[in-house]
């Protein structure tokens, strides 16, 4: 029989939890991706004027990468307190930080107004965005994973993952609409501020929904057990979540980091760098490139739950490996299609790329959640995911732009993505299948590796 902690909640309750996580992550990713699109389109002109166009874009993407540098710190801080205080409180805080920083970007003076202070202020707010996002992902996927039906965990946990394409869809859609109705001069002058200021409205909606959900029952029961142990006469002080993660789950952290290399790098090459490549090398208009990403993001949003459901049937590893191998094989056709300059070919290139990326991204939430014990799960999943982003997603548009500037060709960029795919195939190939693990059981009462390992292998029924 299923334990009380793992018994599925009422459908209405679970759907409300999924909605709260999805809306919150959509807003967070909207804010984060909006910056990436603006970095490719206007920030090089507004905050780094006087440079060669590609050099200005490089500098703009450098501030974009700074946001990734703050994500590991967010993972550490939010993971620590999320494992101590609960998932819900930290998710509310992350949404406030991200929304506030994004709204403030919309009010920033440009280089023409305040000189070198403008890029400094921009970089500071980007750091706040990265810090908030570093704590958001782990809490959002855990809130669903720990509430959901164990037999359909891959499906339900994949819904917060759709927040990434939904955020991309929303950010790209708003930018695409503005570029369609505004002249280039108006967009660069003031139009770019509108999507950033809209974040304030979105945050209010997200908070209203997110505050309405309950804390994870799996976490509440694990916390009660930990408090009971600490109250015993012979109690031993509970170790910090980070210490426990590095002691018992260091291998899982490395696997999670390796698994993210192809997923993270390919995503930012396909969605962020493509705006540079299509407009500078393929001779495609900015509007055309934005529309291609818009359509492809809508398709990815639809297929992620399907990949998640498939991982419930055949396992997390096979789906993940399929996605990684597929992205590697697609890179050369991807750029070849874009080089044609045809809108239909560009849609095909980006859509296939994001569908294959979704095969990695969809099972990732359940896969990483199932690796770690409850009282260190927020820390473990966040650290594994966000530390990888510094080496993967952060420099991806920067490296791709530099390769394009140096070689004037897409071949080195394709090889760069393929190298990341090889790392991911090795990492996921070395991982154990986690589909049958019971999240309530993966909670060792003592800090001993055998106990953790035995609990982790307990099947969910």
């Amino acid at each position: 029989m299923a334990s009380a902690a793992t018994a599925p909640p009422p459908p209405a309750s679970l759907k409300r939890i999924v909605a709260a996580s999805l809306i919150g992550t959509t807003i967070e990713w909207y804010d984060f991706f909006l910056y990436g699109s603006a970095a490719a389109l206007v920030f090089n002109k507004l905050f780094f004027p006087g440079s060669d166009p590609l050099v200005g874009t490089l500098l703009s993407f450098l501030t974009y990468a700074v946001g990734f540098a703050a994500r590991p710190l967010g993972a550490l801080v939010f993971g620590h307190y999320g494992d101590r205080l609960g998932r819900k409180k930290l998710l509310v805080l992350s949404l406030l930080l991200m929304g506030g920083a994004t709204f403030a970007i919309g009010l920033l003076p440009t280089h023409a107004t305040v000189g070198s202070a403008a890029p400094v202020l921009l970089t500071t707010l980007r750091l706040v965005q990265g810090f908030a996002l570093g704590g958001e992902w782990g809490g959002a996927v855990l809130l669903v994973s720990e509430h959901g039906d164990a037999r359909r965990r891959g499906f339900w946990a994949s819904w917060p993952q759709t927040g990434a394409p939904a955020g991309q869809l929303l950010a790209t859609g708003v930018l695409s609409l503005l570029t369609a109705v505004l002249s280039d001069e108006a967009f660069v002058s003031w139009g770019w501020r509108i999507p950033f200021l809209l974040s304030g409205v979105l945050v209010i909606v997200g908070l209203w929904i997110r505050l309405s959900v309950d804390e994870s029952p799996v976490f509440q029961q694990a916390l009660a057990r930990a408090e009971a142990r600490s109250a015993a006469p012979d109690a031993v002080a509970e170790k910090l979540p980070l210490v426990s993660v590095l002691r018992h789950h260091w291998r899982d952290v490395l696997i999670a980091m390796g698994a993210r290399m192809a997923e993270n790098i390919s995503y930012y090459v396909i969605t962020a760098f493509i705006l540079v490549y299509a407009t500078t090398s393929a001779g495609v208009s900015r509007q055309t490139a934005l529309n291609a990403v818009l359509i492809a993001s809508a398709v990815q949003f639809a297929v992620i739950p399907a990949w998640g459901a498939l991982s419930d049937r055949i396992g997390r590893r096979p789906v993940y490996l399929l996605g990684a191998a597929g992205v590697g094989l697609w890179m050369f056709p991807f750029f070849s299609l874009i080089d044609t300059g045809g809108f239909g070919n560009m849609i095909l290139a980006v859509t296939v790329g994001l569908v294959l990326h979704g095969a990695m991204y969809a099972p990732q939430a359940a896969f990483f959640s199932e690796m770690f014990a409850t009282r260190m799960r927020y820390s473990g999943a966040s650290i594994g995911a966000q530390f990888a982003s510094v080496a993967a997603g952060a420099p991806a548009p920067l490296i791709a732009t530099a390769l394009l500037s140096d070689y004037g060709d897409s071949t080195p960029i394709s090889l760069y993505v393929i190298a990341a795919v090889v790392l991911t195939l090795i990492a996921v190939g070395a991982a154990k299948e986690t589909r049958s693990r019971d999240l309530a059981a993966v909670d060792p009462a003592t800090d001993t590796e055998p106990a953790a390992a035995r609990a982790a292998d307990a099947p969910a029924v």
Side-chain angles (χ1 to χ4, degrees), residues 322-335:
L322 173 65
V327 164
L329 293 172
W330 185 245
M331 273 301 102
F332 283 107
F334 172 80
F335 284 108

Side-chain angles (χ1 to χ4, degrees), residues 35 40 109 130 141 168 175 214 217 241 248 281 301 321 336 347 354 374 380 417:
Y35 189 103
V141 299
Q168 180 75 66
L175 285 172
D214 298 324
H248 297 303
S281 294
F301 179 89
L321 291 169
S336 295
I347 292 174
L354 288 185
T374 301
V417 176

Side-chain angles (χ1 to χ4, degrees), residues 18 40 62 69 100 108 113 137 141 162 180 233 241 245 266 343 352 365 446:
V18 170
L62 193 58
L108 276 183
T113 305
W137 181 84
V141 299
T162 65
V245 166
S266 65
F343 183 51
V352 173
T446 59

